[in-house]
Amino acid sequence: MRCIVCGKEGDFKICGSCFAERNTLAYLPSIEIERCGRCGSFRFGKGWTKIDDVSAIEKGVFENLVVFPDFNVESFEVLKNSVVVTGSIYGDRVSVKIPLNLRIRTITCPRCSKESGGYYEAIVQIRAQKRSLRNEEVESAMKIVEKILGESDGEKDFLLRFEETNSGIDFYFGSRKIGEKVSKAIADEIGGSVFRSKKLHTRIDGRDVYRFTFLIRLSEAENYDVVLKDGKICVVKNSKIQKGIEIITGKAMNVSGATLIAKKEEMGWGVITNLDESIAEVMDSEGRIFHVPRPFGAEIGKEVFIFNFEQRTFAFPKDL
Ligand SMILES: [Zn+2]
Ligand SMILES: [Zn+2]
């Protein structure tokens, strides 16, 4: 078959190039995009998304582009005042240039207006029992907050305020959901339990509005501290999951709720110099000799940590 216009051989009565010259293959109505002047988010449909300007314009073009049904669009390129649409029609690959009427309107998104109004629904507090927070704990908490906020773009998903107090740190979040998510993730990452409470804040349209507090209590004991749990002396192996080892039997123990006996940095250091079935002889770094209950894993020459509890001296191998 030959094209009725140019005579080119093909499968259609008119070839794609000739058809494209005589018909409108693509059309763009004028587009208005809304952009938040505070955070730079763009509005699409009901939601707001954080994307760069170029992606936002492309998305706006893509959503508004009207094409002739037989025109299979493969790609488009946004230029300053026009869009070049490329695709195939009637056996030919064609590009058409169509005018672009785009306006970006600057408004304040609901999220930013809430944030600037000081709105918050949740406080996440992190406290450690009888000690201050360690830098690593604060850093991991910050990272978690950053990550979760980066993945959320709900209207109330913002951090209003961060406060460092004598007893710990507080995060104020716009939404309860973020507070819940963050507190759970922090407890999973650095250990501890979450206590949740709510307080009536106000009433809106006859509905009670609460503010939630998620308190994360980190345990006092850290790795290698010695604790007492159910009358048994244990060394904390993993404070995050509250796992410990009983120093005499080597049995694995859950140490949640245990009482702290000795901090790692306050313990003495020594070497096992002699052993019998129930007693180990230990020499500390100052040359003093102690007799202690034989700990699990004891071997002559092994390095041990030494501590006192109820007027007795105990020791356990460093690699327990
Ligand atoms: Zn033709
Ligand atoms: Zn905004």
Side-chain angles (χ1 to χ4, degrees):
M1 201 180 287
R2 285 180 180 278
C3 169
I4 51 164
V5 182
C6 68
K8 191 172 76 178
E9 191 67 48
D11 299 332
F12 302 89
K13 268 190 236 161
I14 182 165
C15 75
S17 312
C18 291
F19 187 83
E21 275 168 28
R22 283 156 185 81
N23 296 275
T24 306
L25 292 192
Y27 163 75
L28 263 183
S30 23
I31 305 171
E32 186 178 271
I33 313 183
E34 285 177 324
R35 181 180 185 275
C36 173
R38 283 173 67 101
C39 67
S41 302
F42 286 90
R43 178 194 201 140
F44 289 102
K46 275 187 285 175
W48 287 78
T49 347
K50 269 187 197 147
I51 48 175
D52 59 79
D53 295 16
V54 174
S55 312
I57 293 168
E58 282 174 353
K59 198 167 150 64
V61 167
F62 181 76
E63 284 177 357
N64 286 282
L65 191 65
V66 182
V67 294
F68 181 75
D70 288 343
F71 185 36
N72 296 311
V73 176
E74 287 156 14
S75 64
F76 63 85
E77 193 191 349
V78 179
L79 306 175
K80 200 165 181 295
N81 292 310
S82 60
V83 176
V84 177
V85 186
T86 304
S88 59
I89 183 159
Y90 304 146
D92 282 341
R93 198 153 183 280
V94 296
S95 287
V96 289
K97 196 172 183 177
I98 53 174
L100 171 66
N101 275 309
L102 176 94
R103 206 184 125 200
I104 296 179
R105 205 155 70 94
T106 303
I107 60 166
T108 305
C109 74
R111 184 174 169 280
C112 286
S113 34
K114 277 211 161 70
E115 193 174 339
S116 63
Y119 180 95
Y120 71 93
E121 287 178 2
I123 310 174
V124 172
Q125 301 183 311
I126 309 178
R127 302 286 184 271
Q129 280 168 31
K130 297 186 200 158
R131 63 175 173 91
S132 46
L133 295 182
R134 293 196 308 266
N135 283 341
E136 309 94 81
E137 289 169 335
V138 175
E139 276 162 25
S140 341
M142 301 277 207
K143 268 193 202 132
I144 289 168
V145 168
E146 216 170 277
K147 181 168 178 280
I148 289 181
L149 283 177
E151 291 165 351
S152 326
D153 47 20
E155 177 180 324
K156 297 185 285 185
D157 299 343
F158 56 84
L159 173 67
L160 177 73
R161 200 156 69 225
F162 168 74
E163 280 173 7
E164 205 155 3
T165 69
N166 288 336
S167 47
I169 54 177
D170 295 348
F171 296 97
Y172 290 71
F173 293 108
S175 86
R176 188 206 54 151
K177 209 183 73 216
I178 290 288
E180 199 155 29
K181 237 186 188 172
V182 162
S183 55
K184 194 182 169 296
I186 291 176
D188 283 350
E189 174 72 23
I190 60 181
S193 8
V194 183
F195 300 87
R196 159 199 170 126
S197 57
K198 63 174 181 180
K199 220 163 74 184
L200 186 63
H201 167 51
T202 183
R203 281 177 76 86
I204 297 172
D205 304 330
R207 192 171 53 89
D208 291 340
V209 176
Y210 291 92
R211 269 184 180 160
F212 294 79
T213 300
F214 300 92
L215 169 63
I216 304 162
R217 262 193 206 291
L218 305 180
S219 70
E220 184 184 3
E222 301 168 84
N223 290 350
Y224 286 101
D225 287 351
V226 173
V227 296
L228 189 68
K229 173 76 189 273
D230 302 333
K232 298 198 166 67
I233 299 175
C234 304
V235 53
V236 177
K237 290 299 283 185
N238 187 336
S239 65
K240 201 166 121 180
I241 56 168
Q242 296 288 298
K243 189 186 155 231
I245 287 181
E246 212 215 313
I247 64 166
I248 305 297
T249 62
K251 238 179 66 189
M253 296 272 293
N254 178 300
V255 293
S256 59
T259 317
L260 184 73
I261 294 178
K263 295 291 291 174
K264 181 193 174 189
E265 55 272 18
E266 290 159 3
M267 285 189 262
W269 170 89
V271 175
I272 297 177
T273 46
N274 213 342
L275 272 179
D276 73 16
E277 257 160 48
S278 55
I279 303 287
E281 185 189 81
V282 167
M283 186 171 75
D284 77 1
S285 47
E286 284 160 44
R288 288 174 300 194
I289 302 286
F290 300 95
H291 289 98
V292 303
R294 180 183 173 131
F296 184 76
E299 271 170 41
I300 290 172
K302 246 191 190 177
E303 289 182 37
V304 289
F305 285 124
I306 305 167
F307 63 95
N308 290 310
F309 175 58
E310 291 183 336
Q311 279 112 49
R312 285 196 67 185
T313 303
F314 293 86
F316 64 92
K318 274 182 149 177
D319 60 1
L320 184 69

